[in-house]
Amino acid sequence: MRAAARFVGVRLAGAVVVLWAVATLIFFAIRLVPGDPAQAILGGPGSDASKASLDLVRREYGLDKPLVVQYAVQLGRLATGDLGTSYSLKQSVASVLAAQVPPTLELAALSLIVAWLLAAGLAWWSSRSGRVAGAVGNALEVIASAVPHFLLASILIVVFSTQLNLLPPVSTGTAAGLVLPVVTLAIPVAGFLGQVTRDSLLDASAAPFALSARARGESANGVFARHLLRHAALPGLALSGWAFGSLLSGAVVVESVFARPGLGRTLLAAVTVRDVPLVTGVALVSALAYVVVVVLGDVAERALDPRGRAA
Amino acid sequence: MRTRLLPLVALAAASALVLAGCTSGGGTATDDASATPVRGGTLTYATGDAEPTCLDPHVGGNYPQALVASQYLEELVSKDSHGDIIPWLATSWKQSDDGLSWTFTLKKGVKFTDGTPFDAAAVVANMNAVQDPKTLSSTGYLALGKVKKTVAVDTDTVRFELSQPDSDLLDSLTQPWLAIESPTALKRPMATNCVSPVGTGPFEVTKWVKQSAITMVRNPHYTSPVQDAAHTGEAYLSKIVWRFIPDSASRYAALQSGDVQVTDNAQPDELVAAAKGQTIKAIDAPRPGASDRIELNSSQAPFDDERVRQAFITGVDVNAGIKTLFFGTAKRSYSLLSSVEQDSYSDKALFTVNTAKAEKLLDAAGWSQKNSQGYRVKDGKQLTVRFPVSTNQSIPAERALFEQIQEQAKKLGFDVEISQLDLSSWYTALAKHQYELVDAPYTKVGPGVLDILYDSSGITPAPSGYFANNAQVDIPSLDATLRKAGQESDPSTRQDLYDQAQKTILEGYYVLPLYDQQNHFLYRTTVHGLRAFPSVSTPSLYDVWLSK
């Protein structure tokens, strides 16, 4: 128990450091890129702001103060849990996030599940179907992990919406509208998870415990399900945090292509207009989700692998 | 940074989609103009423009706001398809003899959707709001630059008092950025008014789910259609769902599948595909104001030398590129103004391509040597021109055109450095004068846009660093002509003055006009009665009805 408490405590401290680093990085990165946020707040194609409006905006948003002061103010606010007000949407960042987090979480979580199913399915098929199947599986995984979200989404839309007329090309709020975005996000992650899983699957199937299970007369499927998968899933689980991060970044593209609301699209729009509080808010929430998933992955790994628990 | 691959990839993808579009079958639909309009139904409109940050176009004032506001807000005056000013919320108007005041008589019995009556006090409240710095208005604020104050003479009469005559005032008042909102609603906090603006229009905003859609329902008490509307009374549609679909391929796919009925920001390949099919039609509604053009920064080397400007403008052939990249959907312009502007002046002869002459001009300007890379040099300096491109304001086909221009200019010995930037970085590059070429959109009704873009006062940057005179044209006689035109109330004298001004600018080789600002709508043939308002070419859904 004490080991578990220490484990959680260390993780929590780590999470705070990560969040602080993210907030700092975002703040300065956004300011280093040329561009006047006041102009961005008021501007837009074909309009130029009056001096009075600009001055007002600078004062109102504290943009007239030195950068270090702005940073300190922002950090102080964040420390008290105040995410501030979005420059562009003119509403609190917390309320924007409250509306935009659920659709993205839904997308990312479903995609992670589908990715695991795809990866495990492919591994199972290729591991028991001989060398050619292994090569085909490997090739599929390499292609899947390398294909850009944008291209994949376009292909899926052309095939399943335009040609076959099976699924809506844009999200419609229904389950059918969720299929293409989820698959788009899941395929690259499945490819990556599949590659890692197969390597350890091959190691495991040559290991003594697998040989002995087979020698005891267990079926190939039984050995796969009861012994090999558990072993092979370990490196994949450790990578689930990474996978989740990749899903969040993929959401930027997928949410735009499939016209879904969510964090990714919010981030894209916020970056374009230099909306510092909103960008920071999205980044912090993403970082937090990432940390949580990594910890959950570690917990699952400890549950599956008894060797870690002793340490 | 030089980028060549991206536009090519985008173009390849676009071409692939054209092919896909051609092979997909279409259903059948009839478009019978004499059919009886059907009441009711929900129309889903998918916009490819940005999602507005505020639905009140007084705040800020950009095109995405104008697009959607046209459904729930109305202006004092409008324009008909000939470009003439027609009544809307104002029934008549009169300019004083000294040109320093305009008196408008207002339509009676009109109410905002919150029940507030529309009257002179409402107009005054709106103009005051736009002119109040706290409203953060940019486009509307600029358009009221010569308005000293607005006075309610009586309930139905309002007077605009000017600091100097403004021949552009009526044009300005046709724009959605100066639409009239409920004064009661305007008193609410800005954040509230931004999500639920209240107008006199045929629809009212009921819900806005960010990153997703705005829902508008029919205004059952509607009484104020614009003079050239096709019917009176309530709108036919009972509901509009205004969706934000930024990706053009998804937008087109959604239109094909029938998930949406109308889209904007149609791309050239989609227009071609639509023309071949039976289910989708297109409306070409170029934006008013300036044409889409490349401006040459005349304030610094090498384009401070007119010979170098002329060499660039007459040495590159843009027509072939426009034809191939836009598949014939964009017509070459030889004018500074949009073809929908009555005062547009063009001179095709100035843009006849003559590379031999261009080479001679460059030699004469001292750029006679070439280095090992084939670029011209003078005093050890390479003939490099920077071309920042705003990716937020330019479509892939246009960026591919810029790449072609880059290739052609290379043959003349120009090193064109294209950098693709987001909007904020692009503004900054302009503000720091880090450009020799630039393509900047400007939408404004009327030839008065010339005053903004080419008067030398437009060289002095605003506090934000933004300035409108990107070509940095600085000719005192031109300034005088533009100012005279801006105060001239006689239409034909005004047109002469603006023609003269345009001639001066074109003959000075400051600008390479490309085409009208592209503004195409696509709609399914089940949609009837769709048109674009002639003022700033935003869609009007008031007369629209849906057949099965």
Side-chain angles (χ1 to χ4, degrees):
Chain A
M1 273 321 282
R2 279 188 58 187
R6 231 189 92 207
F7 171 77
V8 171
V10 168
R11 289 301 181 151
L12 270 180
V16 171
V17 173
V18 166
L19 293 180
W20 168 77
V22 166
T24 305
L25 204 68
I26 292 290
F27 182 87
F28 287 103
I30 258 198
R31 289 310 172 85
L32 279 178
V33 185
D36 177 354
Q39 170 67 20
I41 292 167
L42 292 164
S47 61
D48 51 343
S50 71
K51 177 178 163 40
S53 299
L54 277 161
D55 287 349
L56 197 91
V57 161
R58 293 216 176 89
R59 268 199 312 278
E60 197 169 307
Y61 291 96
L63 297 170
D64 51 346
K65 301 200 176 75
L67 204 58
V68 185
V69 175
Q70 292 184 43
Y71 171 67
V73 168
Q74 163 119 3
L75 218 56
R77 278 210 202 113
L78 290 178
T80 60
D82 176 9
L83 292 172
T85 304
S86 158
Y87 290 174
S88 59
L89 301 176
K90 292 159 182 84
Q91 66 182 110
S92 82
V93 170
S95 66
V96 176
L97 292 177
Q100 304 297 333
V101 165
T104 299
L105 269 190
E106 174 189 54
L107 187 67
L110 276 176
S111 301
L112 194 56
I113 292 168
V114 171
W116 264 115
L117 289 176
L118 285 175
L122 195 61
W124 170 78
W125 172 75
S126 64
S127 70
R128 61 193 301 272
S129 306
R131 194 177 288 173
V132 176
V136 170
N138 192 37
L140 280 178
E141 283 157 8
V142 170
I143 293 169
S145 56
V147 64
H149 288 120
F150 179 73
L151 184 64
L152 192 55
S154 303
I155 293 171
L156 289 174
I157 287 177
V158 167
V159 173
F160 291 97
S161 302
T162 313
Q163 299 291 342
L164 301 176
N165 212 2
L166 280 177
L167 293 162
V170 290
S171 291
T172 48
T174 60
L178 204 53
V179 176
L180 291 184
V182 164
V183 172
T184 303
L185 269 184
I187 284 178
V189 171
F192 199 83
L193 290 177
Q195 279 176 289
V196 180
T197 309
R198 182 211 316 284
D199 283 346
S200 57
L201 195 64
L202 291 178
D203 288 347
S205 56
F209 69 84
L211 289 175
S212 85
R214 266 187 225 112
R216 286 197 306 272
E218 272 201 60
S219 70
N221 286 345
V223 174
F224 178 82
R226 271 185 290 280
H227 301 280
L228 298 184
L229 190 58
R230 186 161 149 163
H231 189 272
L234 286 175
L237 266 182
L239 279 169
S240 280
W242 167 86
F244 193 73
S246 137
L247 291 174
L248 287 179
S249 64
V252 176
V253 174
V254 166
E255 286 170 358
S256 295
V257 171
F258 293 102
R260 275 180 63 83
L263 279 188
R265 239 175 118 184
T266 305
L267 180 65
L268 190 66
V271 167
T272 316
V273 297
R274 301 278 189 278
D275 192 334
V276 181
L278 190 51
V279 173
T280 311
V282 174
L284 286 178
V285 166
S286 309
L288 191 66
Y290 181 80
V291 170
V292 168
V293 170
V294 168
V295 172
L296 285 179
D298 285 354
V299 169
E301 201 181 338
R302 283 158 69 97
L304 279 180
D305 185 0
R307 286 171 299 181
R309 271 173 244 164
Chain B
M1 178 179 69
R2 226 164 295 171
T3 45
R4 289 217 178 90
L5 264 175
L6 248 179
L8 286 177
V9 171
L11 195 70
S15 316
L17 281 165
V18 173
L19 295 175
C22 292
T23 52
S24 74
T28 51
T30 52
D31 192 11
D32 185 0
S34 65
T36 319
V38 178
R39 275 181 55 89
T42 298
L43 181 136
T44 305
Y45 178 105
T47 181
D49 246 300
E51 181 167 7
T53 55
C54 174
L55 302 185
D56 167 5
H58 294 174
V59 178
N62 60 18
Y63 205 75
Q65 289 175 301
L67 276 170
V68 66
S70 295
Q71 316 315 322
Y72 49 80
L73 299 183
E74 299 182 313
E75 287 83 56
L76 288 178
V77 287
S78 185
K79 279 196 161 191
D80 64 14
S81 54
H82 307 292
D84 294 324
I85 303 287
I86 53 170
W88 200 346
L89 289 176
T91 52
S92 62
W93 49 89
K94 201 176 168 295
Q95 187 182 16
S96 67
D97 291 338
D98 60 3
L100 287 175
S101 84
W102 285 80
T103 308
F104 292 82
T105 307
L106 306 178
K107 212 175 258 184
K108 290 189 179 73
V110 177
K111 279 196 159 87
F112 294 98
T113 50
D114 63 358
T116 308
F118 163 75
D119 55 16
V123 176
V124 172
N126 273 268
M127 297 308 138
N128 288 348
V130 171
Q131 291 191 308
D132 182 351
K134 283 204 190 84
T135 305
L136 308 178
S137 171
S138 56
T139 315
Y141 180 94
L142 274 182
L144 293 182
K146 293 177 185 168
V147 174
K148 221 165 45 184
K149 64 174 176 173
T150 332
V151 183
V153 180
D154 57 44
T155 320
D156 307 315
T157 316
V158 67
R159 191 172 64 233
F160 283 65
E161 293 180 358
L162 311 186
S163 54
Q164 52 176 294
D166 182 3
S167 65
D168 244 20
L169 184 66
L170 287 176
D171 281 335
S172 295
L173 289 173
T174 65
Q175 306 180 120
W177 304 296
L178 288 176
I180 310 298
E181 300 177 43
S182 159
T184 316
L186 281 177
K187 282 189 200 128
R188 301 173 299 166
M190 185 196 279
T192 313
N193 203 59
C194 276
V195 297
S196 59
V198 178
T200 54
F203 298 93
E204 53 186 302
V205 176
T206 51
K207 202 169 89 180
W208 180 13
V209 180
K210 300 271 165 71
Q211 315 279 349
S212 176
I214 299 167
T215 307
M216 291 168 268
V217 299
R218 176 165 56 203
N219 168 8
H221 309 294
Y222 184 66
T223 57
S224 49
V226 64
Q227 198 188 45
D228 62 344
H231 80 294
T232 56
E234 297 171 62
Y236 298 122
L237 296 169
S238 50
K239 198 164 126 185
I240 301 169
V241 177
W242 190 273
R243 291 204 59 178
F244 302 101
I245 305 186
D247 181 65
S248 67
S250 327
R251 208 159 56 240
Y252 189 64
L255 185 70
Q256 279 183 308
S257 68
D259 288 312
V260 310
Q261 286 84 43
V262 184
T263 65
D264 57 33
N265 281 262
Q267 306 294 307
D269 53 300
E270 296 160 3
L271 291 169
V272 171
K276 286 182 182 152
Q278 300 293 315
T279 47
I280 295 169
K281 286 189 167 186
I283 291 177
D284 180 9
R287 296 186 189 182
S291 57
D292 190 321
R293 73 240 173 266
I294 297 176
E295 291 174 304
L296 282 60
N297 180 355
S298 64
S299 75
Q300 56 200 31
F303 288 143
D304 53 351
D305 186 331
E306 187 182 326
R307 290 170 296 187
V308 183
R309 294 202 299 272
Q310 188 182 352
F312 184 85
I313 285 178
T314 58
V316 294
D317 177 16
V318 295
N319 287 6
I322 292 175
K323 212 172 279 172
T324 53
L325 295 166
F326 286 81
F327 311 108
T329 61
K331 194 168 162 276
R332 173 70 198 272
S333 164
Y334 299 99
S335 172
L336 299 172
L337 293 178
S338 161
S339 65
V340 301
E341 291 294 347
Q342 285 175 337
D343 293 333
S344 168
Y345 167 91
S346 68
D347 189 349
K348 189 177 170 181
L350 286 173
F351 300 97
T352 309
V353 179
N354 188 339
T355 43
K357 191 177 166 204
E359 303 259 7
K360 268 194 208 124
L361 282 165
L362 288 173
D363 289 342
W367 296 95
S368 49
Q369 306 294 315
K370 278 194 182 181
N371 63 17
S372 56
Q373 288 165 281
Y375 297 122
R376 288 176 184 264
V377 284
K378 178 179 167 183
D379 307 329
K381 274 195 76 179
Q382 188 167 299
L383 184 53
T384 300
V385 290
R386 294 161 296 179
F387 191 178
V389 175
S390 158
T391 51
N392 300 82
Q393 301 178 139
S394 179
I395 63 169
E398 179 166 276
R399 298 204 284 274
L401 177 64
F402 296 159
E403 311 272 330
Q404 285 200 2
I405 291 173
Q406 178 183 50
E407 286 302 317
Q408 296 205 3
K410 188 179 176 183
K411 287 185 202 140
L412 291 176
F414 277 97
D415 169 26
V416 178
E417 272 182 10
I418 295 178
S419 42
Q420 304 206 12
L421 304 172
D422 71 84
L423 194 58
S424 207
S425 313
W426 181 79
Y427 273 130
T428 306
L430 264 55
K432 291 188 176 161
H433 291 202
Q434 292 164 345
Y435 72 97
E436 277 73 41
L437 296 168
V438 72
D439 181 290
Y442 208 101
T443 304
K444 183 192 187 307
V445 177
V449 70
L450 296 169
D451 310 4
I452 294 175
L453 296 179
Y454 303 108
D455 191 298
S456 66
S457 68
I459 294 174
T460 315
S464 60
Y466 182 85
F467 57 99
N469 187 344
N470 292 316
Q472 308 212 22
V473 181
D474 188 0
I475 310 171
S477 64
L478 174 68
D479 289 352
T481 310
L482 287 172
R483 280 167 207 178
K484 234 197 266 170
Q487 301 190 6
E488 179 58 56
S489 54
D490 176 58
S492 78
T493 315
R494 182 182 178 221
Q495 177 155 10
D496 285 347
L497 289 167
Y498 275 128
D499 279 357
Q500 203 183 312
Q502 291 175 74
K503 210 163 169 283
T504 306
I505 300 161
L506 290 178
E507 287 175 353
Y509 294 100
Y510 294 95
V511 181
L512 176 61
L514 299 175
Y515 27 64
D516 282 335
Q517 284 189 66
Q518 300 296 296
N519 202 41
H520 300 270
F521 299 97
L522 290 176
Y523 63 100
R524 293 183 68 82
T525 42
T526 50
V527 175
H528 306 265
L530 179 68
R531 64 164 185 145
F533 284 114
S535 48
V536 290
S537 301
T538 53
S540 167
L541 298 179
Y542 168 61
D543 287 325
V544 166
W545 56 276
L546 297 170
S547 60
K548 294 294 159 217

